[in-house]
Every structure is written in structure tokens, then in C-alpha cells.
Amino acid sequence: MIIDGFVHQLPDTDPGETEEWLQSLDAVVDIGGKTRARFLMSKLLERARELQVGTPATVSTPYVNSIPAEQEPFFPGDEDIERRIRAFIRWNAAVMVVKANKHADGIGGHLATFASSAALYEVGFNHFFRGKDDGLAGDHLYFQGHAAPGIYARAFLEGRLTEEQLDHFRREVGGKGLSSYPHPRLMPDFWEFPTVSMGLGALCSIYHARFNKYLHNRQLEDTSGSKVWAFIGDGECDEPETLGSISLAAREGLDNLIWVINCNLQRLDGPVRGNGKIIQELEAVFRGAGWNVIKVVWGGKWDELLMRDVDGVLLNKMNTTVDGEFQRYAVESGAYAREHFFGPDPRLRKLVEHLSDEEIRNLPRGGHDYRKLYAAYKAATEQEGGPTVILAKTIKGWTLGPDVEGRNATHQIKKMTTDQLLTLRERLHLQDEVPEEALADGKEPPYIVLPDDSEIGRYMLDRRTALDGSLPRRVVRTKRKLELPAKEAFDELLAGSGKQAASTTTSFTRLLRNLCRDPKFGPRVVPIIPDEARTFGMDSLFKEFGIYASQGQHYEPVDHALLLSYKESRSGQILEEGITEAGGLASFIAAGTSYSTQGVPMVPFFTFYSMFGFQRVGDLIWQASDARARGFLLGATAGRTTLLGEGLQHQDGHSLLLASVNPAVEAYDPAFAYEVATIVRHGLRRMWLDGEDTIYYLTLYNENQVMPAMPDDVAKGVVEGLYRWADAPHGPTHQATIVFSGSANLAAREAQQELAEHYDVAAELFSATSYKRLREQALTTERWNRLHPDQPARTPRVTELLAGEGPIIAVTDFMKAIPDQVARWVPAGRRFTPLGTDGFGRSDTREALRRHFEVDAAHVVVATLAALAADGALDSGVVADAIRRYEVDPDQADPRLTP
Ligand SMILES: Cc1ncc(C[n+]2csc(CCOP(=O)(O)OP(=O)(O)O)c2C)c(N)n1
Ligand SMILES: [Mg+2]
């Protein structure tokens, strides 16, 4: 077999002995059968592990619990009380969703996810999750988004939420409501991490755990008391973001990370792996990636059956039954399981002879067995050297009754009839707490409220007090104050580049270096790069600041003799993520929320290939906003024509447009180094002096030009989005305004000269650093005017600034829709023409590309003259003259439409 071909290449020092062992195995198979042989092999492997022989780990184990019954630890809680707590929470969660849909039909909500995972959460809340009392950072919990109702129900029982709030589940307008899912934006004192865009919470939890180690290893904060717990759906594991970075967690030895995967075998539409076994599949994936895997498949009542399974027939049945069948057993009667699961084999049937159909039906799954879960969590929290995943088998909709449990439609069930509520009440043994008449038709089902000082309430709160307070809870309290950088850090960029040419990218790298060097602020800077540092000239930072590597550097780098060698270090500052923009963003979120999760403000600067930012990982940027991350995103090699040569999949002419839709993101398109410095400085102040949870996006170009020194009195304009960069030349008859952004400044400046020299047009130049900001300000003004009809109308800033004469031409290396954002507010009577790079990119020189996309100086001239002609100020022959002079092809195919 090819797969084992390596064996033939190993030296055999004693062929005789080898043969004896092989013959023994042959004999076992002949006499004892394959099951027996498998058993012996497993025993041998176990012994080899104990003896540290170093055999490779197998990727899968039989379909049983990883922790055998005899190795389960003592359970220190009061199981009865905890069962009651769980029942109350289950009930209140269901009532909350049912009531919400009664009051506002169609408002939604989910019952089945939490119903399957209640025990997964409760064992954590009662015994493991560390809170944040006394200034502690505590554990960090990523909840399955659709389990939110259960988390609210517990908070209510703990007295943290009111009945009125529960009654406003999913009705947030007005301020009393609870958000549908975990949203730190909407419930900033409660939820810490957004999770409901499937896969993103999982990914973020890995990088969060890694970032906690980074803070620790760089001696910025002792994070050893914080574990990161992520609760994930089995269906959610199909998202590439969920499993895509798990090898990092093992490589980095993240023993502060625990995943609990709720394997209810179902997703939204149906089974996750009807024809396979999701738990086995995930086990292999995680073991292969180097994780500690704990399977919690069967509840305690199976232990006795497994013990009596001397022939291995039960084990064999467990191993060979597919998930689709297991789901069927969840909805059928005990008699059905006796017939089909235990039935075919008389030895198997005999194993359950002594059980009634009802007892067979109630043989529970491991994920509903509190003691099994306790054992798994305890082992996970004690694990050293790597991450743990707990694969817990559950039933979706568990306890919600036969119409909901295990049904394919269960995910979206949000209404319950009186009969269904009565069944639930009975199932949860709530006859005392919920009077039957309270559920009569037309009545509002009641929440269970704990009387003051009840034993159960006391127990629950005592547990949380012993574990440092209630969760989830988000706090912002600064343990280690951030001091903003001294002004000197920005001076180099403000002074311009003298006679030398520089790009905004290399200028930014200098700024980043200066910021890192600032004695107080420097250590808080987190430079993040996904394997692109050389492209951006950032490899110059490697040696000075070091690349973070938890294990240090076990080799002498190939370039050790060079001044700028590749230096990895445990205290390294740079997060060189490798080729993963998603991972980079997850690090950005971890660093950008550290002000809250750890009380240690950190300032991430994530520099990426502009095309692979908003376009590639836009939802993670949305996640960052929801998580209230603060920091800087730098879209380098920006522009559709400035990035020459690379072509269609690299040239970004639209990230600014994508950035414009995110309410927490400021989107800037600076032309000059001093603009970059001014914007970054302003962003730092807004984030860290004003405490705004905002993200700054700046495009950076790789075209070199002489960077001018910062003119006087433009700082305000730079941050507000628009300022006059050059007056119109004196002399010419006609007036016009050219507005440029980014690298398009070169075309605009050349056009200004051409217009004056050849066409008697005096054009003033404006730099538009942020159309988004101009538009937002204009919208604010417009709204104010609309709602204050009796007050003097206010004028939007962009209207005020562009109060000149003649047409306005706006030129950008991005799509025309970018300048179009402000077209409505251009002063009446001024014709507005945007020139931009709509269409697919392609490889060529900058000159050829700019001609193709009609954004070069010639096209700026032609557009200006055409606008003046349309206004009647010029004869159309002048336009034709310019077209001839600059050899513009009037019949060139429209770049928007060319393939
Ligand atoms: C990215 C993304 N795609 C789709 C959805 C819609 N969605 C919400 S829950 C769900 C099914 C979840 O199944 P699973 O992960 O197994 O969780 P369970 O509810 O079964 O515990 C889907 C498809 C989403 N929230 N996010
Ligand atoms: Mg599921």
C-alpha cells in the first residue's frame, strides 16, 4: 500500500523478530477476529504512547467518549439544584422567544440551538467560566449566536436583566430591547464578541487566544488567568473560516483556548452529515492539526451497556451508524430503536433486554450529560501545551417536545402552542413553578422568577461569585493607560520628502517606524502584515522590532549577515501572519479590542494588499466594527492604475466604495505623506482621547513622487475630507476646479498647467482626502435642515468649500461612484464631472492604464473643456482641438464595458 510505503524504507535490525510479531497478528485476526485485532492494536498504541515511543497519533478513535467512566473526576456541584436552574433557564428562554413572536409576528428568534446546548453552557457557568470582578480580565466567551435566548434567560434569572427587557427581545428601537444575537455595538455592557456570522467567531477566538499570549510574552500584561472559550455549531464547521486556522492554534500551543462544538448533527435545513459522522470527521481534522480532542458522545446510561459489550457488537453498531440514522432515532420511539439499532443482532438486542422502550428512548447523548461534560471541561482546562476541542453530541431542540426535537425544521421553530408549552412544562418538571392555568389559551406564558433569597437563586449567584462574577459582561476599564505619541513622530512626514521621490506606502512605513520608536507609545503599536512586507518596503522593520514568534528563533536566518535580516523573537512586535488576510483581520480585532478585553489599549496597524481587504474579508471588517475594535487598516498598492502590471485580480478601484458602507469606518484616500501623517494623528486622538470605537482605512499608493511639505492651515481640511491645495493661476479667462485624490494628484496638476497654457482656463486644485466624510457631513446637515424648518438653513461643508466658479472635475484612481458621493451638494450652477476607473483592471504601464481608464491629464483637460463648452463658455471646437492635441481616441471602447 502506497500510504504505508515509508515502512519499507526504514531499517529492519531484526527481521526474525519482525516476522514473529506479524505472525502473532495474523493469528489474532484468524482466531479472535478483526475486532479483537483492532483492540489489541489500540492497546499497543496506548502502551507505546505511555512509553513515549513516539509513534504517530492516529487521527480517529472509536465512536465512544474519550474519557472513560472510571476516569471521570468527582463532581463538586449539587446536581439537583443545577438541573433545576437549567430547567428554569430552558423555560424562560422558550417563553421569551414565544412571547416575542406573539407580540410581533415574524420577529424571529431561535429555540432549538440553545435547547441542544443548555448543558454545555450551564456546566461552564456553574464551574468554569471566570468573570471580571475585582478588575480581572476573566475568561472570554464566544457564544453560538443563535443560543442568545438562553444566555439572556440566565442573566434574567441572575437578576441582571428585567422582564421588560426580555419582553423586548429583538425589539431594540426605543432602547429597552435585547439584541437578536451577540452584538457589542448594541449591548456594549453585555456582549463582548459578535459571533453570528458563522465561522468568524471561531476564527477570531483563535487569534484572540494567540494575542493574549502575545501580550504575555511581550510582557505587556499577565494574561495567564484568561481562557478563550468558543461555542461553535457543527454546521458552522463547514465555513472555511471555522477550520481554516486551527493548525495555528496547535502550532502556537494555545492551551488558553477551548472550543466546544455542539454536535447536534443538524444545521438549518437538515443533517450536517446525513451519510457520515460529523464527530468522527471533526475528530480526524482536529487530531491531524494537533489539537487535544475530547469526544463526549454518550451519556452515563450507556456506560453499563458498553461494559457488557464483550463482543464489541455495540461498539461496532456505534461506529457504523450514520448521523442521518442517529437523527432518526432522536425522533422515533424506543421500540423503533430496539428494532433497528439493537434489533438486527441478537447479541445487541440482548444487551437492552432489561430496558423498557421508554428507557431506551431516554438513553441520553453525552452533550446532555452533566457529569460527562464536567469531566471534559475539567480535562480541557487542565490541558497544557495546546488547544482542546470538545465534540459534544446533542439533540437539536432537546426537551422541546416531539414536534421540535430532532426535526429537520427545528432550527426555525419559534412558536409553541399551549399543548407544546404544557409538554415542555412537564418535561422540565415545572408543575410547581408554572401553574397549568397560566398557560391557558390567550394568556401570556409566564417567566419563572426566583423568589428573593431562594436556595436555587443563592446557589446560582454563589457559584458566579466564586467564579469572579456574572458573564457575559463587557467592560472598558483601562489598566494600562496609553500615552499618545509625541508630535516628533509625525514631523518627518509633515516636512515632505525634499528632492527625493517617495510613495505614500514608504512614507507610511517611516511613520510606523517612528511610532514604534516612541518610548511610551511604541510598545503598544501592533504592526500586522500578511506576507507582504517586502512588497510594501516594511521588511526594514523586521530587524529593529522583531517578528513575534512564541518559540523564539531556532535557526540562523539565511540573511543573518544582512542589516535587515529576518528576525523572529518571543518579544517580537510585528505580527507577520503569513498569507491569511482573514487571520490578519482576526489579529486586528484581537488587538483592537484589547482596550476592553484586557484593559490594555493596543493600536493595530494592519497593512494589506488593498484588493484583498474590503473585497476579500469585508465581513471580518464588519465584525471588527460590531466588536468595537479600534485601529488602522492600510490598503497598500491601492488604485486601479497606480498598481501597474498586476492586472485584473490585483487592481483595486473600489475598496473605498466598500469601506463607505461601514458606519464605523472612516475612509481616506490621501495623496501626500503629510496627509497620511495628519490623518493617522487625528485617528489616534479620536480613538484614544475621545474614546471613539472607530476604524480608519487609508489607501496607500506605490507611485513615487516628491512629497510636498505640509502647507499652513490645511490640517483641518485634511481630516475633514477636502481642502484647496493650489489656487488657480492668475490670468486666464475661464474658471474651473479640479478635485483630486490619491495618486490622481499628478494628472490633476499636469492638467492645471495644460489648461492654463493652451486653453485660457484657470483651474484651482483641491485635494479630496475623504468623500465619505464629506458625504456624511452633508447628510447630517441636510437632515438637520429637514427637521428644523423654522431655523436658518445650514450649508454642507462640501458646498461651502466648492463655492468657486465654472465646472468641477473630480479625478480619482477609484470608481466614479467615489466622487459621485458628493455630487448632490455641489453648488447650484457648477457642472460636476467625475473621472474614475470603473471596469476590470488589466496589466500595463501606468500611462497606458490611465489613458485606458480615461483618468490621465489629457482626459482631465478634455473633461474640463467639455464641461465649459456644455455651459456655453467655450466653443465645442476647443474640445475637439484638445482631443486631437492629446491623441485621445474618441471611439475607444468604454472601459466600463470592456471585458
Ligand atoms: C455566514 C452565515 N451564513 C448563514 C447563516 C444563517 N444560519 C444561521 S444558523 C444556521 C445553521 C447553524 O447550524 P449549526 O452551526 O449546526 O448550529 P446549531 O443551531 O445546529 O447548533 C445558518 C445557516 C449565518 N448566520 N451566517
Ligand atoms: Mg448543528
Side-chain angles (χ1 to χ4, degrees):
M1 237 203 321
I2 294 173
I3 218 169
D4 290 336
F6 73 92
V7 178
H8 300 282
Q9 297 167 56
L10 303 178
D12 189 347
T13 51
D14 189 346
E17 187 185 44
T18 309
E19 194 50 39
E20 273 174 37
W21 277 77
L22 291 177
Q23 282 174 8
S24 306
L25 183 62
D26 292 346
V28 171
V29 176
D30 279 351
I31 298 162
K34 289 184 180 166
T35 307
R36 174 72 188 152
R38 261 200 307 276
F39 172 79
L40 282 176
M41 293 293 295
S42 303
K43 276 302 221 192
L44 281 175
L45 284 172
E46 186 189 27
R47 179 59 55 87
R49 231 184 353 265
E50 285 164 10
L51 297 174
Q52 299 184 347
V53 170
T55 43
T58 51
V59 292
S60 66
T61 63
Y63 200 57
V64 291
N65 296 338
S66 306
I67 301 176
E70 66 272 15
Q71 282 179 21
E72 281 169 27
F74 172 74
F75 176 71
D78 182 323
E79 223 177 330
D80 282 338
I81 291 189
E82 293 187 24
R83 186 176 301 116
R84 298 299 288 157
I85 295 171
R86 223 152 57 234
F88 296 171
I89 292 173
R90 284 179 178 284
W91 175 264
N92 284 346
V95 166
M96 183 184 79
V97 175
V98 168
K99 278 176 93 174
N101 284 281
K102 221 169 181 174
H103 293 157
D105 198 12
I107 204 89
H110 299 84
L111 298 166
T113 303
F114 179 70
S116 65
S117 53
L120 304 184
Y121 291 115
E122 281 302 303
V123 77
F125 279 122
N126 284 319
H127 299 283
F128 294 97
F129 303 157
R130 314 296 309 199
K132 300 175 192 297
D133 284 356
D134 304 325
L136 296 167
D139 287 348
H140 297 118
L141 307 179
Y142 288 72
F143 298 96
Q144 258 187 287
H146 299 74
I151 311 306
Y152 290 138
R154 168 168 258 271
F156 171 70
L157 217 55
E158 287 184 19
R160 301 176 63 209
L161 296 176
T162 63
E163 195 161 329
E164 189 183 25
Q165 285 176 298
L166 256 56
D167 279 344
H168 283 79
F169 172 55
R170 290 186 166 228
R171 294 172 72 192
E172 301 179 87
V173 173
K176 287 181 242 166
L178 301 178
S179 58
S180 49
Y181 305 115
H183 290 308
R185 275 270 158 201
L186 301 174
M187 292 177 68
D189 302 325
F190 194 84
W191 296 117
E192 280 195 291
F193 311 108
T195 47
V196 82
S197 181
M198 312 247 105
L200 302 193
L203 177 80
C204 286
S205 74
I206 294 178
Y207 283 84
H208 182 172
R210 205 265 303 245
F211 193 75
N212 282 352
K213 296 261 186 192
Y214 169 95
L215 287 176
H216 197 93
N217 288 336
R218 291 194 59 219
Q219 305 198 341
L220 290 164
E221 179 66 3
D222 177 358
T223 58
S224 56
S226 296
K227 291 210 182 289
V228 177
W229 295 76
F231 291 81
I232 297 161
D234 49 359
E236 187 175 3
C237 291
D238 285 339
E239 289 285 2
E241 288 90 345
T242 307
L243 299 182
S245 290
I246 59 170
S247 60
L248 172 91
R251 211 160 56 236
E252 291 285 313
L254 300 182
D255 48 16
N256 56 346
L257 177 67
I258 298 168
W259 276 16
V260 181
I261 302 187
N262 174 15
C263 296
N264 54 25
L265 315 188
Q266 291 179 244
R267 49 192 180 207
L268 192 152
D269 285 338
V272 176
R273 294 288 184 275
N275 295 315
K277 290 163 93 70
I278 186 66
I279 291 181
Q280 298 301 89
E281 181 181 323
L282 291 175
E283 176 188 36
V285 169
F286 280 96
R287 281 173 77 101
W291 285 52
N292 174 38
V293 179
I294 303 177
K295 293 197 289 191
V296 187
V297 187
W298 307 110
K301 288 182 185 154
W302 289 88
D303 288 334
E304 177 249 346
L305 301 182
L306 278 163
M307 234 142 57
R308 290 171 36 232
D309 179 33
V310 284
D311 307 318
V313 278
L314 176 59
L315 183 66
N316 192 41
K317 188 71 184 172
M318 288 170 163
N319 282 337
T320 52
T321 302
V322 294
D323 284 356
E325 269 186 83
F326 275 124
Q327 187 189 348
R328 184 89 191 267
Y329 294 127
V331 304
E332 296 285 356
S333 66
Y336 180 90
R338 189 192 298 282
E339 192 60 30
H340 293 87
F341 187 78
F342 297 103
D345 188 316
R347 291 169 298 178
L348 204 46
R349 189 182 276 264
K350 201 162 164 21
L351 268 185
V352 290
E353 231 172 26
H354 62 300
L355 299 180
S356 68
D357 286 353
E358 196 49 25
E359 283 170 322
I360 289 183
R361 182 166 157 66
N362 287 332
L363 283 169
R365 294 187 179 176
H368 302 305
D369 187 309
Y370 216 60
R371 282 177 182 261
K372 301 280 181 211
L373 290 171
Y374 179 83
Y377 283 28
K378 186 157 190 300
T381 51
E382 290 167 0
Q383 172 75 7
E384 284 180 15
T388 295
V389 60
I390 294 167
L391 303 172
K393 184 170 177 175
T394 63
I395 288 178
K396 194 150 176 171
W398 178 242
T399 72
L400 291 176
D403 301 333
V404 184
E405 273 177 355
R407 300 282 165 194
N408 272 339
T410 187
H411 186 84
Q412 287 172 315
I413 293 175
K414 46 191 169 281
K415 296 182 183 173
M416 291 176 83
T417 62
T418 298
D419 281 348
Q420 287 170 330
L421 284 168
L422 284 168
T423 310
L424 178 65
R425 165 179 173 265
E426 202 171 312
R427 179 78 180 271
L428 298 175
H429 306 291
L430 297 175
Q431 285 85 345
D432 291 343
E433 286 76 11
V434 184
E436 187 169 345
E437 57 278 11
L439 300 179
D441 278 339
K443 286 210 174 165
E444 294 272 301
Y447 296 115
I448 295 173
V449 183
L450 292 174
D452 282 348
D453 214 30
S454 70
E455 189 194 5
I456 291 184
R458 251 196 339 266
Y459 181 95
M460 184 163 63
L461 291 180
D462 283 352
R463 287 312 308 145
R464 284 317 312 163
T465 306
L467 290 162
D468 305 325
S470 289
L471 289 172
R473 185 173 155 220
R474 180 178 177 278
V475 287
V476 178
R477 61 184 160 207
T478 305
K479 269 192 262 174
R480 302 191 188 278
K481 201 169 167 303
L482 182 77
E483 286 201 33
L484 288 182
K487 187 183 160 299
E488 287 68 41
F490 303 92
D491 283 348
E492 185 180 354
L493 269 64
L494 300 183
S497 63
K499 288 204 173 69
Q500 291 225 313
S503 66
T504 46
T505 304
T506 52
S507 303
F508 168 74
T509 300
R510 284 167 176 272
L511 175 63
L512 188 59
R513 185 198 56 199
N514 294 344
L515 292 173
C516 288
R517 281 181 181 170
D518 186 279
K520 294 215 167 107
F521 178 76
R524 304 298 188 84
V525 174
V526 186
I528 307 171
I529 316 167
D531 195 37
E532 212 71 70
R534 290 180 201 281
T535 317
F536 311 143
M538 287 186 174
D539 46 331
S540 58
L541 306 179
F542 288 166
K543 181 75 182 268
E544 182 171 356
F545 303 107
I547 295 164
Y548 174 71
S550 55
Q551 301 166 14
Q553 191 164 35
H554 296 310
Y555 61 97
E556 189 171 66
V558 63
D559 54 4
H560 68 278
L562 300 183
L563 200 59
L564 303 177
S565 65
Y566 197 84
K567 185 182 137 209
E568 299 193 77
S569 143
R570 197 170 154 81
S571 60
Q573 185 162 4
I574 299 165
L575 289 174
E576 159 61 85
E577 299 292 9
I579 311 172
T580 165
E581 284 72 16
L585 234 317
S587 275
F588 175 85
I589 294 172
T593 54
S594 165
Y595 70 92
S596 142
T597 54
Q598 293 290 346
V600 182
M602 299 293 288
V603 186
F605 288 86
F606 177 32
T607 313
F608 46 85
Y609 224 118
S610 143
M611 188 65 155
F612 307 129
F614 281 86
Q615 161 147 315
R616 172 109 188 190
V617 287
D619 199 21
L620 273 159
I621 300 175
W622 192 258
Q623 171 99 345
S625 303
D626 193 350
R628 311 190 79 115
R630 302 175 188 174
F632 294 85
L633 298 174
L634 294 307
T637 48
R640 190 98 71 200
T641 68
T642 308
L643 179 61
L644 72 170
E646 290 288 343
L648 184 152
Q649 293 208 333
H650 282 75
Q651 290 164 340
D652 166 35
H654 49 281
S655 65
L656 284 167
L657 196 58
L658 301 175
S660 77
V661 303
N662 189 319
V665 170
E666 293 285 1
Y668 282 99
D669 192 15
F672 310 113
Y674 70 79
E675 292 184 352
V676 172
T678 306
I679 294 162
V680 169
R681 185 151 190 235
H682 185 255
L684 285 171
R685 286 165 169 271
R686 274 184 68 197
M687 290 171 214
W688 301 109
L689 289 183
D690 307 340
E692 285 189 50
D693 301 332
T694 181
I695 294 168
Y696 270 48
Y697 176 57
L698 282 77
T699 57
L700 297 176
Y701 296 87
N702 65 352
E703 185 166 8
N704 290 328
Q705 63 172 100
V706 168
M707 289 293 161
M710 175 135 145
D712 290 337
D713 305 325
V714 301
K716 186 164 175 282
V718 170
V719 298
E720 290 184 350
L722 184 69
Y723 64 99
R724 180 183 279 100
W725 191 76
D727 291 334
H730 289 294
T733 316
H734 307 289
Q735 305 295 310
T737 300
I738 303 173
V739 185
F740 63 74
S741 318
S743 58
N745 79 83
L746 295 166
R749 290 156 70 183
E750 193 185 332
Q752 182 197 41
Q753 287 182 2
E754 294 289 313
L755 283 164
E757 195 176 327
H758 301 293
Y759 296 106
D760 194 22
V761 177
E764 56 175 358
L765 298 181
F766 272 73
S767 173
T769 50
S770 177
Y771 284 103
K772 174 172 185 181
R773 207 165 157 94
L774 293 173
R775 175 180 159 79
E776 298 292 343
Q777 196 277 339
L779 286 171
T780 303
T781 311
E782 194 175 69
R783 174 177 178 272
W784 193 91
N785 288 343
R786 188 167 70 244
L787 298 177
H788 299 84
D790 46 354
Q791 308 262 343
R794 298 175 178 175
T795 309
R797 185 177 302 126
V798 60
T799 316
E800 244 168 34
L801 286 169
L802 294 177
E805 271 177 57
I808 300 169
I809 311 302
V811 60
T812 167
D813 209 13
F814 280 76
M815 295 175 70
K816 297 178 183 69
I818 296 296
D820 263 341
Q821 289 179 91
V822 301
R824 241 162 17 88
W825 295 287
V826 160
R830 299 201 74 182
R831 189 176 291 277
F832 184 76
T833 310
L835 296 179
T837 57
D838 303 44
F840 283 119
R842 62 210 56 227
S843 355
D844 213 311
T845 62
R846 287 191 183 116
E847 293 68 33
L849 289 169
R850 287 170 182 170
R851 178 51 64 99
H852 170 80
F853 283 106
E854 303 171 358
V855 292
D856 60 2
H859 277 282
V860 177
V861 171
V862 169
T864 309
L865 298 176
L868 283 164
D871 285 343
L874 283 179
D875 189 82
S876 62
V878 181
V879 187
D881 177 78
I883 287 175
R884 267 193 309 277
R885 176 191 302 270
Y886 299 111
E887 297 177 358
V888 167
D889 173 6
D891 298 319
Q892 168 183 289
D894 186 338
R896 288 182 305 119
L897 309 176
T898 43

